[in-house]
Amino acid sequence: MSNPMRAFEDVRSALLAAATPVTGIDKVSTAAALGRVLAADQVSGLQVPPLDNSAMDGYAINTADVTAAGARLTVAQRIPAGSVGHALARGTAARIFTGAPVPRGADAIVMQELCSIDGDSVVIDHVPKPGEWIRRAGEDIALGSTVLAAGVRLNPQMLGLAASVGCATLPVYRRLRVALFSTGDELVMPGDPLPPGAIYNSNRYVLRGLLEALGCEVSDLGIVPDDLEATRAALRGAAAGNDLIVTSGGVSVGEEDHVKPAVQAEGRLDLWLVAMKPGKPVAFGHVNDLAGGAGAAFIGLPGNPVSSFVTFIMLVRPFVLRAMGVADCLPREIPLTAGFDWPRPDRRREFLRARIGDDGRVVLFPNQGPGVLTSTVWADGLVSTPPGTSLAAGEQVQFIPYSELLS
């Protein structure tokens, strides 16, 4: 029976459609909400700034009193940030500091650099316009406005915005629970002796790091032997209490590749083989929980280090984000100029390890092999190349920076 490859875009769409967002909600301190996904819109109960305030250290004046440079006004009050002055009398000025409320009767701020002090008076060496250097009440946030929408993954500036309207806590979706294991009798953990023919298990560190960077609770189940029954047992155990199972290795068609039949025996396999390079053998399905729970979604990744890395960031990451409750989970592609030739098109969509050169053009790592993990460290993003497409220096390419993929 043939297993035709499915287009990358179709597979990604299928994964997103199958991702079931978590429903549990935690109420956490705003200071501890970094990286969590907001579960409800946050509506401001106040306006920011609450009052008209000064954007500069200087002097609050009435522009009718300063019709020409050199106007002299008595300094009648001093208004630091955090205090409120009294109404400004005509012919006077108020010494005012950044963030302090503008007193009633003042309609402009003159920055201190354009003023000079003469005893208890200030000489204004500038003719201001009404509204100059005044930040209006509510110009940042209006009362009753939605400051943060549900489904955003909270970054530091979002936490600051929430704090600016008085949110001490935030409702966030619970963390996604993910079980992770690698398969392969050739795998050895760093720190152990390396027998002939063995390799150190790098995928475990890459995938665990990527999952933890997304904010998942990771159950690291280590290495599972190349054995069907052992793989089935590992899947059954992983399905209990987890939302997702991610594996690396064992999803091809070799005699020692047991993940695919194990998933079929313990649940179902919904898709396999993606028209992408690197990373053709990617499996997606569901593993039943024999204890009576809902079971867990399953994504099996290739064993080659680069293939595992690329398939995770391009397919698993959007699935995880959608399951976490994130509304916008696809990376942005940036059009840039190629500083390389790629004359050998593939029938699959290719993701080439690349970085931006000093001249602003995109350059490729010389060896694009699926086992060259150094390329992922050298690169600062991927070039996404459609199937059957060759590229020449000077043409436009679609570049996906790591900043869109690794957090």
Side-chain angles (χ1 to χ4, degrees), residues 84-102:
V84 178
H86 52 78
L88 188 73
R90 290 294 303 274
T92 70
R95 178 69 166 123
I96 197 166
F97 297 88
T98 302
V102 177

Side-chain angles (χ1 to χ4, degrees), residues 177-181 211 221 234-240 242-247 283 285-288 295-300 316 319:
R177 294 187 285 266
V178 183
L180 172 68
F181 66 84
L211 288 165
L221 305 182
L235 289 171
R236 288 195 298 271
N242 288 296
D243 305 297
L244 172 65
I245 304 168
V246 175
T247 67
H286 189 272
V287 176
N288 298 325
F298 167 84
I299 304 179
V316 181
F319 178 91

Side-chain angles (χ1 to χ4, degrees), residues 2-214:
S2 64
N3 289 283
M5 292 187 294
R6 293 181 58 176
F8 166 79
E9 294 80 6
D10 291 344
V11 169
R12 187 172 64 180
S13 295
L15 286 173
L16 290 177
T20 303
V22 296
T23 56
I25 296 176
D26 300 326
K27 191 174 184 179
V28 302
S29 163
T30 298
L34 183 64
R36 302 294 292 271
V37 180
L38 192 63
D41 291 351
Q42 297 302 293
V43 177
S44 178
L46 49 83
Q47 61 181 2
V48 178
L51 299 169
D52 290 355
N53 70 90
S54 177
M56 286 284 176
D57 290 346
Y59 293 86
I61 56 92
N62 187 308
T63 54
D65 292 331
V66 185
T67 58
R72 179 185 294 269
L73 302 173
T74 300
V75 180
Q77 58 181 307
R78 184 177 184 274
I79 311 174
S83 64
V84 178
H86 52 78
L88 188 73
R90 290 294 303 274
T92 70
R95 178 69 166 123
I96 197 166
F97 297 88
T98 302
V102 177
R104 185 165 49 87
D107 64 354
I109 306 296
V110 181
M111 66 173 66
Q112 62 188 15
E113 291 84 353
L114 300 177
C115 302
S116 56
I117 297 298
D118 184 10
D120 61 358
S121 298
V122 60
V123 178
I124 309 296
D125 299 320
H126 167 71
V127 180
K129 296 177 181 179
E132 195 166 311
W133 297 117
I134 292 177
R135 296 185 292 211
R136 296 301 181 186
E139 71 174 30
D140 184 10
I141 300 170
L143 176 66
S145 63
T146 298
V147 293
L148 293 171
V152 298
R153 192 156 169 249
L154 295 164
N155 59 30
Q157 56 268 40
M158 292 177 184
L159 299 185
L161 186 59
S164 75
V165 296
C167 296
T169 61
L170 290 170
V172 296
Y173 290 114
R174 70 162 175 83
R175 296 186 186 277
L176 197 71
R177 294 187 285 266
V178 183
L180 172 68
F181 66 84
S182 305
T183 67
D185 291 338
E186 77 280 11
L187 298 178
V188 175
M189 290 305 299
D192 293 338
L194 191 66
I199 59 172
Y200 285 122
N201 184 6
S202 62
N203 286 345
R204 180 181 188 182
Y205 294 86
V206 173
L207 297 177
R208 178 169 178 165
L210 289 167
L211 288 165
E212 289 179 343
L214 288 171

